[in-house]
Amino acid sequence: APGLAYVNLGTAIVSGSYGTDYAYDRAFRTEIAIADRGYIFETCLRSGTFLVDWLAREMFQVDATRLRDLLPKLEAEAAASPIGAGGVLLVPYWQGCMTPHWDSAARGVIAGISGSTHRGDIYRSLLEGIALDQAISTNQAERATGAKIDRFVAIGGGAASDLWSQILADATARPVLRSTTVEASSLGAAMAAAKGCGWFPTFAEASKAMAGEITRTFEPDAKRVARYAELRAIYADLWPTLSAWNARLADFVERGHG
């Protein structure tokens, strides 16, 4: 729908918007829409809730069976941390970077750690890093396509987090609408099948009838939006500053494997 983008807070963070006119840019991948005409402009960050699991397992030494018990504690600690996580910035490129840098050698960065850094700061920096990266890609996609994106529908397991949903709303300066949909790909396939077998005459009607319900809307707060705009400018400079250095390190590691 015009102005609407989905954001799947899953193992990867995948977001997309619809347009009738073809466009391309490094900020997104252009896909043919399943609808009768048009395109989907999709951003993809490969490390999403995967990174939450990794952080809990490898840095906080919590196994998968205890993660459900840990998450509410991490959320509370992160909520107590200020915007900017006490000076900690996290670049979530643990598995390389697709949009907008397209760098398979990219690696994650946690910058700004000090002796006063707490576990909640690191966890908040993870949520903020993903949200800031999404904000940058969304803004670039909006400029490249000429189509305004004024709200997100959040799907996937990460959308259950009130803190993450609110950070995403504030960092992107757009409302985030939480949907009951968790497995969006399966639901989309079912919508296509329903139209294909004649249950609905159009994809739009199948979507309207079968889409998950919106259970809550997270509105951006003007003061937090302004604060995140400052932080986003700092974050946006970090990877371009480090990318050449990272390429040298990746080359060193690769030659060591040889």
Side-chain angles (χ1 to χ4, degrees):
L4 178 66
Y6 59 84
V7 57
N8 182 14
L9 301 177
T11 303
I13 307 297
V14 182
S15 178
S17 57
Y18 172 79
T20 56
D21 298 324
Y22 179 79
Y24 72 94
D25 191 85
R26 290 177 64 85
F28 53 83
R29 53 189 181 184
T30 303
E31 303 170 336
I32 296 174
I34 198 171
D36 297 303
R37 60 189 294 259
Y39 303 90
I40 296 296
F41 310 115
E42 190 171 76
T43 67
C44 184
L45 177 63
R46 297 183 68 182
S47 297
T49 55
F50 161 84
L51 194 48
V52 175
D53 294 342
W54 180 91
L55 193 74
R57 183 181 68 250
E58 300 297 338
M59 294 192 71
F60 301 155
Q61 299 296 298
V62 174
D63 63 45
T65 60
R66 294 175 50 218
L67 182 58
R68 188 178 296 273
D69 296 329
L70 175 67
L71 282 175
K73 298 176 184 177
L74 286 176
E75 295 259 319
E77 293 171 20
S81 179
I83 290 175
V88 181
L89 270 181
L90 184 146
V91 179
Y93 299 161
W94 261 241
Q95 301 193 98
C97 176
M98 292 180 67
T99 57
H101 303 297
W102 299 100
D103 184 353
S104 61
R107 294 294 180 266
V109 177
I110 304 176
I113 293 177
S114 72
S116 60
T117 298
H118 299 290
R119 182 175 71 169
D121 298 321
I122 295 175
Y123 187 66
R124 185 182 184 98
S125 74
L126 184 162
L127 303 181
E128 289 184 334
I130 290 173
L132 292 168
D133 214 83
Q134 183 63 57
I136 291 168
S137 290
T138 297
N139 290 345
Q140 285 184 240
E142 192 177 65
R143 288 192 296 269
T145 62
K148 187 171 179 59
I149 298 172
D150 56 27
R151 64 200 189 281
F152 290 103
V153 169
I155 54 182
S161 167
D162 289 353
L163 178 62
W164 202 359
S165 297
Q166 187 61 58
I167 287 174
L168 185 63
D170 293 331
T172 62
R174 295 171 176 88
V176 173
L177 289 64
R178 176 186 287 161
S179 170
T180 55
T181 298
V182 177
E183 297 298 337
S185 299
S186 300
L187 179 58
M191 290 173 179
K195 192 269 184 185
C197 70
W199 291 359
F200 300 96
T202 65
F203 285 111
E205 291 184 51
S207 173
K208 184 177 180 179
M210 299 171 67
E213 296 180 5
I214 301 301
T215 58
R216 181 171 174 181
T217 298
F218 296 84
E219 295 286 349
D221 174 83
K223 289 184 178 180
R224 293 194 296 265
V225 166
R227 188 72 172 149
Y228 272 116
E230 289 187 60
L231 186 62
R232 186 171 68 247
I234 297 170
Y235 175 89
D237 287 341
L238 185 53
W239 185 251
T241 300
L242 291 176
S243 59
W245 172 88
N246 178 77
R248 290 170 57 203
L249 181 60
D251 177 68
F252 171 81
V253 172
E254 183 65 26
R255 286 187 288 108
H257 288 163

